[in-house]
Amino acid sequence: QVQLLESGGGLVQAGGSLRLSCVSSGSIFSRSTMGWYRQILGKQRELVARISIGGVSTSYADSVKGRFTASRDNAKNTVFLQMNSLKPEDTAVYYCNAVVIRGGLSDTYWGQGTQVTVSS
């Protein structure tokens, strides 16, 4: 059973920073592409950032490029999202996501989410 547990959310003023963490249980982390998604109330969940298995390759939504940075520590089964220059429109529940390919099939796992609120 794989579990993803996010932490680091909270309330911050516009222009501030937060660092989200997501710890994975089980043995799949080092073989998983990791992602951060967010969901604003009443809207679809959207991809914020993705980081490759080795951490070399990252991609970001246009809305967060230059402000957010994804990283990972495979030795600690943890992925991070450093969020700088936060804006009120970044307010959302942020979810950690893991995608692992096994036997030609893709398995996807989600965390429970952590609330980020940015006040103006």
Side-chain angles (χ1 to χ4, degrees):
Q1 184 72 14
V2 175
Q3 291 187 325
L4 303 175
L5 182 62
E6 301 100 334
S7 62
L11 174 63
V12 64
Q13 287 189 331
S17 297
L18 284 174
R19 189 191 196 203
L20 304 184
S21 300
C22 171
V23 179
S24 171
S25 66
S27 60
I28 68 160
F29 184 83
S30 62
R31 296 180 286 125
S32 298
T33 297
M34 300 300 297
W36 287 97
Y37 287 71
R38 67 186 181 188
Q39 188 166 22
I40 300 169
L41 189 63
K43 295 188 177 182
Q44 285 190 327
R45 193 172 295 187
E46 64 173 358
L47 176 65
V48 175
R50 183 180 285 129
I51 184 166
S52 63
I53 291 173
V56 175
S57 177
T58 54
S59 60
Y60 301 92
D62 288 342
S63 58
V64 307
K65 280 181 182 177
R67 300 188 297 123
F68 291 11
T69 303
S71 61
R72 63 191 294 166
D73 185 340
N74 284 354
K76 296 182 179 180
N77 287 358
T78 304
V79 63
F80 305 97
L81 185 67
Q82 178 67 44
M83 305 186 295
N84 299 327
S85 303
L86 283 162
K87 304 176 181 180
E89 52 263 43
D90 294 319
T91 296
V93 178
Y94 284 72
Y95 296 90
C96 178
N97 165 272
V99 177
V100 60
I101 307 297
R102 290 181 289 197
L105 298 176
S106 174
D107 289 323
T108 300
Y109 302 91
W110 292 93
Q112 84 291 346
T114 185
Q115 176 70 47
V116 171
T117 302
V118 184
S119 63
S120 58

